């Protein structure tokens, strides 16, 4: 074999595999290019998860609400805290939502925790934020158990407590009344426990309601509840006033809530809305159970029949696995979405709002949260896709897991 023939033989068989590889790579490149031709903005893209037959909706929550609903009667938003300003959390919020609640910044424990102490920095920052970004807000600064250590100290007198909460609520109402972006405020919160007792003061400075010890009127209604609505009626005439409540769907508790609201209204006091926090847990039967869901529907009906807006004020859904299983993510997604479906079903009867008690899971070492719509890296969970598709399709049929 000549030298030229040898070189030809060697080069052909040596580079043949490489040529095959190059050809294959070119084929793959051309296939991908043809498969991903960009044709401008689109509403949905196919889910890349091979175990899912759903679709991912790329529209923001606020765009879906604006396109599909009367925005005067249905709101969908999330809660921010003061320390999330100028972060990627704020960026995500502004991309997705146009309805906001401040986490704790408007509360007595921050604004007026004790005599002669006032701190309006966070309040003013939020008021500037909503004006700059054209957001609507529900102010969460209610009189209730989330109060300062000073207020919960055992040595506090009734007169001291009265002076503090009246000063705080009066000045807060004055501060927000002329803010056109503020639409609602929680006046009282967590006033009744799950057995229909008033939440009360306790020894020490743990969870308790220090304001109840001020006393009750001749009809057995805590004076601070009546006085709080009197103040809000007088100094916040432009704001819709909400009676906010925690716990689950205990009928006896909600009966007392209803009685209290009707009592206030019978005395000429304005109560414009009923709020339910809706803090959900995967190991507590609630939104994935038909009986509990039906009770929620009846509660919304009662609110609208009595000229009240209905607010889901602080919803979250805590998963208990660490990390959660795929089933838990499915349950969380449907737990959130069942509540939204109840609001969609009732939206034509009156105002309904849906607000999550945070944007993303905070990863704090030993206490990782698995309860919000976005994970600790701000990636959307299954709940985001299901909530958006539910809004798009106006779905009202719930999915139940629990008997």
């Amino acid at each position: 074999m000549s030298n030229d023939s040898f070189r030809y033989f060697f080069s052909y068989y040596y580079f043949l595999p490489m040529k095959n590889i190059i050809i294959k790579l070119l084929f793959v490149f051309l296939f991908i290019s043809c498969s991903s031709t960009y044709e401008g903005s689109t509403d949905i893209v196919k889910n890349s998860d091979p175990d899912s037959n759903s679709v991912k909706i790329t529209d923001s929550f606020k765009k879906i609400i604006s396109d599909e609903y009367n925005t005067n009667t249905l709101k969908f938003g999330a809660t921010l805290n003061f320390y999330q300003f100028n972060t990627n959390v704020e960026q995500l919020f502004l991309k997705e939502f146009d309805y906001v609640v401040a986490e704790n910044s408007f509360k007595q424990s921050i604004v007026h925790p004790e005599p002669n102490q006032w701190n309006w920095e966070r309040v003013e920052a939020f008021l500037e934020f909503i004006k700059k970004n054209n957001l609507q807000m529900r102010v969460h600064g209610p009189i209730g158990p989330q109060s300062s250590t000073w207020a919960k100290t055992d040595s506090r007198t009734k007169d001291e407590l009265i002076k503090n909460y009246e000063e705080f609520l009066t000045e807060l109402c004055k501060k927000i009344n002329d803010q056109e972006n503020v639409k609602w405020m929680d006046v009282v919160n967590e006033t009744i426990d799950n057995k229909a007792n008033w939440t009360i003061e306790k020894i020490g400075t743990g969870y308790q309601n220090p304001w109840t010890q001020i006393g009750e009127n001749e009809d057995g209604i805590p004076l601070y509840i009546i006085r709080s609505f009197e103040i809000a009626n007088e100094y916040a005439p432009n704001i819709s006033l909400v009676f906010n409540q925690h716990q689950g769907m205990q009928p006896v508790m909600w009966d007392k809530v209803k009685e209290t609201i009707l009592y206030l209204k019978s005395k000429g006091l304005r109560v414009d809305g009923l709020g339910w926090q809706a803090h959900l847990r995967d190991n507590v039967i609630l939104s994935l159970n038909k009986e509990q869901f039906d009770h929620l529907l009846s509660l919304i009906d009662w609110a609208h029949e009595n000229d009240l807006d209905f607010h889901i004020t602080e919803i979250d859904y805590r998963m208990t696995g660490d990390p959660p299983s795929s089933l838990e993510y499915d349950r969380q997604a449907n737990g959130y979405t069942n509540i939204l479906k109840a609001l969609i079903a009732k939206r034509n009867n009156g105002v309904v709002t849906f607000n999550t008690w945070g944007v993303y899971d905070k990863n704090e070492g030993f206490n990782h949260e698995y309860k919000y719509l976005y994970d600790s890296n701000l990636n959307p969970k299954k709940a985001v896709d299901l909530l958006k598709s539910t809004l798009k399709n106006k779905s009202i049929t719930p999915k139940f897991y629990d008997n």
Side-chain angles (χ1 to χ4, degrees):
M1 181 182 292
S2 69
N3 288 337
D4 288 341
S5 298
F6 178 81
R7 283 195 296 271
Y8 173 81
F9 178 87
F10 177 80
S11 63
Y12 179 81
Y13 286 100
Y14 179 81
F15 288 105
L16 182 60
M18 183 171 290
K19 289 166 70 178
N20 288 339
I21 292 172
I22 292 171
I23 290 169
K24 290 178 179 178
L25 288 173
L26 285 171
F27 178 80
V28 171
F29 175 79
L30 288 170
F31 178 79
I32 292 173
S33 298
C34 293
S35 301
S36 59
T37 301
Y38 178 71
E39 296 180 351
S41 177
T42 181
D43 287 339
I44 60 176
V45 293
K46 288 189 176 180
N47 191 341
S48 61
D49 182 355
D51 297 325
S52 175
N53 294 320
S54 65
V55 292
K56 289 185 179 295
I57 298 177
T58 59
D59 284 346
S60 66
F61 282 111
K62 65 183 180 183
K63 185 177 189 309
I64 297 171
I65 295 292
S66 177
D67 289 349
E68 303 290 341
Y69 294 89
N70 178 351
T71 56
N72 292 319
T73 57
L74 177 65
K75 299 292 181 184
F76 190 108
T79 300
L80 280 178
N81 71 52
F82 176 76
Y83 298 103
Q84 291 168 340
F85 285 151
N86 303 311
T87 69
N88 53 359
V89 181
E90 178 192 308
Q91 293 172 6
L92 175 60
F93 176 90
L94 291 175
K95 173 180 175 289
E96 291 289 336
F97 308 104
D98 58 9
Y99 164 44
V100 67
V101 174
E103 186 172 343
N104 292 310
S105 295
F106 287 73
K107 290 182 177 179
Q108 176 267 347
S109 58
I110 300 295
V111 175
H112 189 40
E114 57 185 84
N116 303 317
Q117 283 195 18
W118 292 93
N119 176 20
W120 293 106
E121 178 189 5
R122 300 188 194 182
V123 169
E124 290 169 352
F126 265 101
L127 295 179
E128 180 181 350
F129 177 70
I130 63 174
K131 184 176 181 180
K132 175 183 176 182
N133 294 288
N134 193 29
L135 307 173
Q136 292 193 339
M137 168 178 270
R138 193 186 82 253
V139 164
H140 183 65
I143 305 301
Q146 281 78 37
S147 50
S148 66
T149 300
W150 175 89
K152 293 184 286 188
T153 300
D154 296 339
S155 60
R156 290 283 76 79
T157 67
K158 295 179 181 180
D159 288 341
E160 287 176 320
L161 291 170
I162 291 170
K163 186 173 189 297
N164 179 268
Y165 91 81
E166 287 190 352
E167 286 178 345
F168 159 71
L169 191 56
T170 299
E171 294 307 312
L172 177 62
C173 288
K174 290 179 179 179
K175 194 85 168 177
I176 66 174
N177 184 58
D178 293 327
Q179 300 288 329
E180 63 180 20
N181 294 79
V182 176
K183 303 300 182 184
W184 309 272
M185 71 175 294
D186 298 333
V187 179
V188 296
N189 186 40
E190 301 182 11
T191 60
I192 299 167
D193 68 20
N194 60 7
K195 296 180 180 178
N197 301 306
W198 302 116
T199 52
I200 60 173
E201 75 283 358
K202 296 179 182 179
I203 295 175
T205 57
Y207 179 86
Q208 60 179 291
N209 190 344
W211 317 107
T212 312
Q213 65 188 296
I214 293 171
E216 300 176 359
N217 72 356
E218 63 277 7
D219 296 315
I221 307 297
L223 294 172
Y224 83 90
I225 295 178
I226 299 169
R227 184 63 183 139
S228 293
F229 275 96
E230 288 176 346
I231 292 171
N233 273 247
E234 181 175 359
Y235 294 103
N238 299 329
I239 309 298
S240 181
L241 308 180
V242 179
F243 190 112
N244 198 33
Q245 179 61 16
H246 61 331
Q247 299 292 345
M249 285 293 114
Q250 296 88 353
V252 64
M253 177 192 73
W254 285 110
D255 285 346
K256 187 160 186 174
V257 170
K258 294 174 187 177
E259 291 169 3
T260 305
I261 292 174
L262 293 178
Y263 178 86
L264 294 170
K265 293 178 71 130
S266 74
K267 297 300 180 181
L269 293 172
R270 180 168 57 89
V271 183
D272 302 303
L274 172 60
W276 177 44
Q277 292 181 359
H279 291 298
L280 311 173
R281 291 182 62 94
D282 198 48
N283 58 354
V284 177
I285 293 176
L286 224 172
S287 64
L288 298 174
N289 172 268
K290 185 179 186 305
E291 181 180 357
Q292 303 290 314
F293 181 83
D294 287 345
H295 192 87
L296 173 61
L297 291 176
S298 69
L299 186 61
I300 301 172
D301 284 339
W302 179 88
H304 288 158
E305 289 163 2
N306 287 277
D307 298 321
L308 300 168
D309 301 342
F310 187 84
H311 303 268
I312 296 296
T313 58
E314 306 177 21
I315 191 170
D316 53 37
Y317 190 109
R318 182 182 288 275
M319 296 179 284
T320 56
D322 188 12
S325 66
S326 178
L327 175 60
E328 285 181 288
Y329 279 106
D330 287 338
R331 288 172 57 88
Q332 182 192 54
N334 283 283
Y336 269 116
T337 305
N338 280 357
I339 302 298
L340 179 61
K341 288 176 177 179
L343 300 185
I344 293 173
K346 302 298 182 180
R347 73 189 187 281
N348 292 326
N349 300 332
V351 172
V352 289
T353 72
F354 183 101
N355 179 75
T356 68
W357 190 237
V359 175
Y360 78 111
D361 294 340
K362 302 171 188 68
N363 188 358
E364 300 177 350
F366 66 91
N367 187 29
H368 193 301
E369 296 180 311
Y370 295 103
K371 60 183 181 179
Y372 295 119
L373 301 183
Y374 297 85
D375 68 18
S376 56
N377 295 313
L378 302 185
N379 296 315
K381 298 180 186 174
K382 290 180 180 180
V384 171
D385 293 330
L386 190 56
L387 286 166
K388 287 184 175 182
S389 64
T390 295
L391 285 168
K392 276 270 190 180
N393 300 325
K394 298 181 173 63
S395 305
I396 61 173
T397 303
K399 183 174 182 178
F400 301 123
Y401 288 77
D402 301 329
N403 295 323

